[in-house]
Amino acid sequence: MGRIGRANLIAYTILYDKTSIIPFLESSYDSGLDLEAQLYVLVQDLTSVLYPWMSPTFNSIKEMQSRYSMAKSDGMVREGIIFTTGKWHFELTLHAIVTLRRVINCSLPIEVHYGGPEDLSPDMIDTFNALPNTVAVDTVSNFFTSETSQFGGWSLKPFALLASSFTRVIFIDADALFFQDPQTLLHSFTFQKHGQVFFHDRSLFRDDPVTWFREINPQYSHYASTLRYMNGLSWHEMESGVVVIDKSISGNLHALLMICNMNSKEERDAVTYKKMHGDKETYWISFDILRVPYAFVPTFGGTVGYKNETTGGICGGLFHTDENMKPLWWNGGVVANKWHSKDSTFMKFEYAAFDTDGDKIKWVWETPKTPFCLTPRYKWEVIELGSREKTFGNKFVEIYKDMQSTGWKSYLKERMNVNVD
């Protein structure tokens, strides 16, 4: 799969992005060679082998890229946020969107992708469509149906990234909340350089290198060789709660297609979900397999919440900084443990801890009533949240409680003048 994918990307790049070298390449062979025509056939054939599910939504990768690269009427590239959700995550997604609009003042358009008519009730769909600058998208019924109709676990996420009408896409998990406007990610150094942004997951130790990945990708990149996952230092490398990709870049689009392939039913049942935890590692692995440049935000997953005065550890949600080590977002919502109860103990917003080494740190796992805790390696990796972050966090909790006590329909009607009855 990797070799075929690389061959497809090389042929595609010459055919569409580096057309000026075609005459030079032709001159190296017989004068009667029509290299452009042969490259076209090669790309079509390899695409049908790699991504048979792409049709009939798109007839070619070029058609897909052309559509996603189309500018709006004002000449601006389409940028936006997407969520994937179902009935269980509906209220979490709604809460996340409300906080983006009412607390963060984020104005980016939002798409909420779901897995067919059984995944959300009609009133849930109507609710998302009634929110300002927000639209619900039935991914399964409208995009790559032969494959998406078989979605399971986390597999719909990359297909939603691919299906989104946005060129520059910010995917956000239903329970991920921000201290900054997510739009800042599109202006980050990493995004400006590579057209993507990935975040490291927390370091959870193990003692074996990833032999299976070395077997399918023996000539992995130097960057991959520096990652914890490749050196037996962590079970997880990537946190896929937030993923940012510019689909107008050929390499990124091909990598996203490969990510979708690794999350297809055949691949996830046979390999992917047996070797890793869901979709998370498929993003950087696909970029690496295709030799497409990528990078992670330098810090590793930490925690945001309160300080355990006995251990000094910081206990709370899975926390991430921006490139400048400033609080950016966290995963897990505002409930201490959403798997135990949706309205039990709420998070406190006092301190945050992050990890700069990915090594020699201590985790204490969560309980039904308490979140997990991180004791970092260095004291300076523990910071007190500023007044802005504390205020935002408390507002997130207030909104959640309000939605729970009044009901989400009443909340939207009374607080946002959105009527979905």
Side-chain angles (χ1 to χ4, degrees):
M1 182 172 66
R3 290 179 180 177
I4 298 174
R6 289 192 295 274
N8 196 30
L9 176 55
I10 292 169
Y12 185 95
T13 301
I14 296 172
L15 181 61
Y16 296 113
D17 298 341
K18 305 290 184 181
T19 55
S20 62
I21 71 172
I22 291 179
F24 171 77
L25 294 173
E26 285 180 329
S27 67
S28 302
Y29 296 91
D30 297 334
S31 58
L33 176 67
D34 187 348
L35 181 58
E36 184 173 351
Q38 292 194 19
L39 287 171
Y40 179 83
V41 172
L42 179 62
V43 169
Q44 289 295 99
D45 289 346
L46 294 182
T47 299
S48 64
V49 170
L50 286 165
Y51 318 117
W53 41 263
M54 200 174 76
S55 177
T57 306
F58 293 100
N59 293 316
S60 67
I61 298 176
K62 183 59 178 176
E63 178 192 344
M64 179 187 297
Q65 187 177 23
S66 297
R67 184 179 301 182
Y68 293 152
S69 299
M70 289 174 61
K72 296 192 297 184
S73 58
D74 60 3
M76 299 294 289
V77 174
R78 281 188 58 79
E79 301 173 341
I81 293 168
I82 70 168
F83 293 84
T84 56
T85 196
K87 293 174 182 175
W88 197 91
H89 288 95
F90 167 77
E91 290 187 14
L92 289 172
T93 308
L94 183 60
H95 175 257
I97 293 173
V98 170
T99 62
L100 287 173
R101 297 301 195 217
R102 300 195 67 197
V103 181
I104 304 299
N105 293 320
C106 175
S107 61
L108 284 174
I110 294 174
E111 294 176 352
V112 181
H113 289 246
Y114 62 99
E118 302 300 318
D119 208 23
L120 288 176
S121 64
D123 62 337
M124 292 176 177
I125 296 170
D126 291 343
T127 297
F128 287 129
N129 287 326
L131 294 174
N133 208 11
T134 303
V135 61
V137 179
D138 182 349
T139 311
V140 167
S141 300
N142 295 290
F143 298 93
F144 322 116
T145 303
S146 63
E147 181 57 49
T148 55
S149 60
Q150 306 177 78
F151 83 93
W154 302 266
S155 68
L156 196 64
K157 290 167 56 173
F159 285 98
L161 275 163
L162 190 61
S164 171
S165 68
F166 305 131
T167 302
R168 296 171 179 167
V169 196
I170 303 172
F171 171 85
I172 301 178
D173 262 353
D175 58 349
L177 299 170
F178 277 76
F179 289 119
Q180 301 180 39
D181 189 334
Q183 192 168 16
T184 61
L185 290 164
L186 302 177
H187 304 290
S188 65
F189 174 79
T190 300
F191 187 81
Q192 295 299 313
K193 184 176 182 180
H194 298 303
Q196 58 74 225
V197 181
F198 295 157
F199 290 88
H200 289 291
D201 204 340
R202 57 198 162 201
S203 298
L204 298 176
F205 301 111
R206 70 172 185 201
D207 58 6
D208 62 308
V210 188
T211 55
W212 75 273
F213 178 63
R214 296 171 187 269
E215 290 171 355
I216 66 170
N217 189 34
Q219 281 78 46
Y220 47 88
S221 69
H222 171 73
Y223 186 75
S225 72
T226 68
L227 300 178
R228 299 163 301 164
Y229 191 79
M230 296 298 295
N231 292 284
L233 297 177
S234 179
W235 283 108
H236 308 305
E237 187 63 54
M238 181 164 168
E239 150 77 290
S240 62
V242 172
V243 179
V244 188
I245 295 180
D246 184 344
K247 297 186 293 186
S248 69
I249 300 172
S250 294
N252 289 4
L253 181 58
H254 279 251
L256 182 53
L257 284 161
M258 184 64 70
I259 295 164
C260 290
N261 206 45
M262 293 189 75
N263 284 272
S264 65
K265 182 170 176 54
E266 181 178 359
E267 290 294 328
R268 70 176 184 263
D269 287 351
V271 181
T272 312
Y273 287 18
K274 290 184 177 180
K275 299 294 186 179
M276 61 188 80
H277 184 68
D279 66 307
K280 58 174 61 183
E281 312 302 345
T282 64
Y283 297 88
W284 69 268
I285 284 177
S286 293
F287 272 75
D288 206 82
I289 285 176
L290 295 187
R291 310 294 187 262
V292 176
Y294 64 100
F296 285 88
V297 171
T299 56
F300 304 95
T303 49
V304 58
Y306 63 90
K307 180 183 288 187
N308 184 312
E309 297 299 337
T310 301
T311 65
I314 306 303
C315 307
L318 179 52
F319 168 73
H320 297 277
T321 73
D322 63 15
E323 295 172 329
N324 300 309
M325 299 186 187
K326 302 296 184 182
L328 180 58
W329 67 281
W330 81 94
N331 207 337
V334 297
V335 178
N337 186 345
K338 70 179 185 292
W339 303 111
H340 174 69
S341 172
K342 290 187 177 182
D343 56 1
S344 182
T345 306
F346 292 96
M347 280 184 58
K348 300 175 182 178
F349 294 90
E350 299 169 355
Y351 292 89
F354 55 92
D355 172 19
T356 56
D357 281 356
D359 194 13
K360 297 182 180 179
I361 57 175
K362 181 180 179 182
W363 286 98
V364 176
W365 211 246
E366 62 188 351
T367 71
K369 293 187 178 181
T370 60
F372 49 78
C373 304
L374 167 66
T375 303
R377 186 175 183 180
Y378 307 107
K379 290 183 178 180
W380 60 268
E381 293 173 327
V382 174
I383 58 173
E384 183 176 1
L385 294 178
S387 59
R388 181 175 182 271
E389 289 83 24
K390 291 178 179 179
T391 299
F392 282 3
N394 291 331
K395 286 184 177 179
F396 296 155
V397 173
E398 290 172 7
I399 290 172
Y400 187 91
K401 288 181 177 179
D402 201 359
M403 291 177 67
Q404 291 292 303
S405 61
T406 63
W408 54 270
K409 288 185 178 181
S410 296
Y411 176 89
L412 293 176
K413 183 176 181 179
E414 296 170 7
R415 305 289 190 271
M416 299 181 66
N417 198 29
V418 174
N419 194 341
V420 292
D421 289 331

